[in-house]
Amino acid sequence: MKTIRWGILGTGRIAHKFALDLKLAEGAELIAIGSRSQQSADEFNKEFPVKYIHNSYEALVQNSEVDVIYIATPHNPHYENTLLCLQHGKAVLCEKPFAMNARQAVEMVSMARERKVFLMEALWTKFHPHYIKMQAMIEQGLLGEIKAVLINFGFKPTPPIPARLFDPELGGGTVMDIGIYNVFIAMSILGNPDYIDAVMTPASTGVDEQCAILFRYKNGALAQLFSSFSSNLATEADICGTEGRIRLTSRFYEPSATVEFYKERADSKEIIPIAKEPGFGYQYEARHVNDCLRKGLTESPVITFADTILLMETLDKIRAIAGIYYPADEFK
C-alpha cells in the first residue's frame, strides 16, 4: 500500500482534530504543516511533530514530498487557498463550506479539471457509518415514500466567540457554518428542491443569527430546515416516510449520532446498530481520499464536482432569498 503523504494548511482547532484522526487512516502520513506564522507552526508541531514546518502557505505547496493538502482555514480563504494548491499540482481536500459562493466553486473545479489534480469538498458526514446506514435503509424501502425531512442545528456561542461566526468578511452566519449540513442532508435524501423559501433573523453584523428554510418538491415532499446561534437546539434529523421514520440523534452530522428507526408509532423505536471507531470522524474521508489518489482519480465518486457545485448554488439561492450577502457575492 502506497503511503499518502499529507500536509495541512492552517493550524486552527479543526486542523488539530484532523491531524489526530489522520493517525487512524491506514497508509496516511502527516509530513508537513503550513501556517502564516512561525509561532503557530511551531506550536502545532509540538503536538504533532512533522518532517516539515512551513511558515507560509506558499512554502507548503512548493514542498515536493507532499501528495495532498487538507485546507483547514476559515470559510473565506478556501477559494484562494485551493487555487494556490492546485496551481502547484497538489491534491486538495477542502473543508466545508467549499467556497463563499457558486462562482468561486466553479472556478476551483475548473482549475482542478484543467490541471488534472484531485479536489474534493470535505463533507465528512457522507463517509460516516451512520449516514451510510441511513442511506441504505432508505434505498431498501424501509421508509416507503419520503414525505418530509425535518432538521434543526443550533447552539448559543459562548465566549470567546470565534470571529468567523458573525463576521461577514469571514462568511459568518448560521447558513454557511452549520446550516450547510441541514441543506446537504435534505438534498441527499430528496434531491434538488423545486421551490425554496427562506427567512432569517439578522445579527448586528448583518449575517443570519437564525435562518428557517423550506424546500418544496413537486411530488409533495417538504424539508424544513432551521439553524440558530440564538438557542441550543436538539441538533437532530428526522426522515419521515409513508412506512416509517428514521431519526439521527444529536449530533446528526457526526459519527457519534445514533440511528433510531420507527416502523410505526413514536413508541416503536428500534436502535439500529452502527460500528463505532475512536476519533472525531475525519479518518473516514481521509481514507477515501487516500483510496482515490492510489487509483489515480482526480474526482471523488462519492462527492462529485457536480454535487459540490449544486450545493453551493443552492446555498446561494437560499442566501439571496433570505437576504444574506457577503463581499465576495455578485448576486446582491
Side-chain angles (χ1 to χ4, degrees), residues 173-220:
T174 69
V175 168
M176 293 291 272
D177 195 71
I178 57 178
I180 185 175
Y181 286 113
N182 303 357
V183 173
F184 148 68
I185 292 287
M187 291 180 66
S188 71
I189 295 167
L190 293 173
N192 191 23
D194 296 304
Y195 309 99
I196 299 174
D197 295 319
V199 63
M200 68 95 165
T201 302
S204 60
T205 57
V207 301
D208 58 301
E209 186 172 52
Q210 295 195 119
C211 190
I213 302 166
L214 179 66
F215 285 173
R216 294 185 289 145
Y217 295 82
K218 291 179 180 177
N219 65 358

Side-chain angles (χ1 to χ4, degrees), residues 133-147:
K133 183 63 176 179
M134 175 202 72
Q135 289 283 40
M137 293 173 69
I138 293 172
E139 290 170 6
Q140 290 165 15
L142 296 180
L143 301 188
E145 183 182 359
I146 306 299
K147 289 293 188 179

Side-chain angles (χ1 to χ4, degrees), residues 36-53:
R36 290 176 297 183
S37 77
Q38 188 67 52
Q39 180 182 352
S40 179
D42 289 339
E43 289 176 356
F44 190 94
N45 186 60
K46 289 177 183 177
E47 186 174 355
F48 305 101
V50 293
K51 185 176 180 181
Y52 299 103
I53 307 168

Side-chain angles (χ1 to χ4, degrees), residues 40-224:
S40 179
D42 289 339
E43 289 176 356
F44 190 94
N45 186 60
K46 289 177 183 177
E47 186 174 355
F48 305 101
V50 293
K51 185 176 180 181
Y52 299 103
I53 307 168
H54 301 295
N55 62 5
S56 73
Y57 299 156
E58 289 75 16
L60 172 63
V61 300
Q62 291 171 14
N63 187 325
S64 61
E65 292 190 32
V66 173
D67 297 313
V68 56
I69 292 176
Y70 171 62
I71 293 177
T73 51
H75 307 343
N76 61 309
H78 287 176
Y79 167 72
E80 62 184 73
N81 294 159
T82 296
L83 294 186
L84 178 66
C85 293
L86 295 174
Q87 287 164 355
H88 288 82
K90 298 302 182 188
V92 176
L93 174 63
C94 181
E95 192 49 63
K96 66 83 196 165
F98 188 68
M100 293 293 288
N101 50 47
R103 175 186 59 79
Q104 290 185 347
V106 168
E107 289 186 36
M108 293 155 71
V109 166
S110 296
M111 179 172 287
R113 283 177 168 149
E114 176 187 330
R115 303 283 176 122
K116 295 181 173 56
V117 178
F118 180 85
L119 172 63
M120 189 184 90
E121 180 178 18
L123 262 176
W124 66 332
T125 306
K126 204 159 188 179
F127 301 96
H128 292 163
H130 76 288
Y131 173 87
I132 294 170
K133 183 63 176 179
M134 175 202 72
Q135 289 283 40
M137 293 173 69
I138 293 172
E139 290 170 6
Q140 290 165 15
L142 296 180
L143 301 188
E145 183 182 359
I146 306 299
K147 289 293 188 179
V149 173
L150 311 172
I151 308 176
N152 62 73
F153 189 167
F155 65 93
K156 191 172 183 179
T158 56
I161 297 175
R164 77 169 199 281
L165 294 186
F166 293 103
D167 189 343
E169 291 283 348
L170 302 180
T174 69
V175 168
M176 293 291 272
D177 195 71
I178 57 178
I180 185 175
Y181 286 113
N182 303 357
V183 173
F184 148 68
I185 292 287
M187 291 180 66
S188 71
I189 295 167
L190 293 173
N192 191 23
D194 296 304
Y195 309 99
I196 299 174
D197 295 319
V199 63
M200 68 95 165
T201 302
S204 60
T205 57
V207 301
D208 58 301
E209 186 172 52
Q210 295 195 119
C211 190
I213 302 166
L214 179 66
F215 285 173
R216 294 185 289 145
Y217 295 82
K218 291 179 180 177
N219 65 358
L222 297 172
Q224 183 175 294

